Amino acid sequence: MPRLLANALLFQLGWLVCVFAGDSFWLLAVAAIIAVHLLWVSSWAAEGKLLLSVFLAGSALDSFLLNLGVFDFGEPRQLIPLWLALLWLLLASTLNHCLAWTAQPWWRGSLLGALAAPLSYYAGARLAGVTLPLGTGPTLVILALTWAVVMPVLHGFARLYRAQYEQQLRSRRSAP
């Protein structure tokens, strides 16, 4: 239980750093948070692929939403800012830990995604000065529908990579 609590607290600390720091040197704190996660809660061998995959896939998804006009960061851009991309890295660090309970059945992840993600985006947008050109209501609906799909997909990544890692461990143990 202490590791799950630590994982949740590290995520929340990272979320606050990202939203309040913007693209400043304070984002280095996220590297420290991920390092603590990998040293105390998990390991690079167990979760490295998951962290990178979710970081890249999530950044691509949010960049797509940006280009659709869902977000406006106050300057012309095609890619999301680093602080928002790092939130995906932080989220990835929770999938096998404090958010593992949302993996099965799949609808738990969908429900959490549909309810919590839009609120997180809304709070982050308000705190970071991001505008929602489509309006708050339509944006929250788009995010709810998107995240109802995204969370089960992310848990699928986590399940796949966890199975691969466990298979590697079994192979090493059985090797002469």
Side-chain angles (χ1 to χ4, degrees):
M1 188 62 153
R3 288 181 190 227
L4 293 180
L5 182 59
N7 180 247
L9 291 174
L10 288 169
F11 172 78
Q12 288 304 314
L13 177 62
W15 189 92
L16 290 168
V17 167
C18 287
V19 169
F20 284 112
D23 283 339
S24 74
F25 75 96
W26 285 104
L27 286 183
L28 291 175
V30 175
I33 289 167
I34 293 297
V36 169
H37 169 77
L38 292 174
L39 291 170
W40 194 50
V41 178
S42 187
S43 71
W44 179 258
E47 291 193 333
K49 275 202 242 183
L50 177 63
L51 294 176
L52 291 175
S53 295
V54 172
F55 173 78
L56 293 172
S59 296
L61 174 62
D62 274 351
S63 293
F64 177 70
L65 292 172
L66 166 68
N67 285 287
L68 286 178
V70 176
F71 311 122
D72 182 3
F73 295 95
E75 61 186 17
R77 59 186 317 141
Q78 270 63 55
L79 298 175
I80 59 171
L82 180 59
W83 67 266
L84 185 53
L86 289 175
L87 287 172
W88 285 95
L89 187 64
L90 291 163
L91 175 65
S93 73
T94 66
L95 293 171
N96 286 322
H97 307 287
C98 69
L99 289 183
W101 65 274
T102 67
Q104 293 294 327
W106 65 268
W107 58 263
R108 280 189 197 157
S110 284
L111 184 61
L112 179 71
L115 297 176
L119 297 176
S120 179
Y121 275 84
Y122 178 72
R126 297 285 305 223
L127 293 170
V130 177
T131 58
L132 308 173
L134 302 177
T136 303
T139 299
L140 294 179
V141 169
I142 289 167
L143 292 171
L145 294 172
T146 301
W147 276 85
V149 174
V150 166
M151 277 303 287
V153 170
L154 295 180
H155 278 301
F157 284 160
R159 187 171 35 259
L160 171 67
Y161 296 142
R162 192 170 49 252
Q164 289 175 352
Y165 175 69
E166 290 167 358
Q167 179 59 40
Q168 288 173 346
L169 289 178
R170 283 192 294 275
S171 296
R172 286 185 195 143
R173 286 186 199 130
S174 65

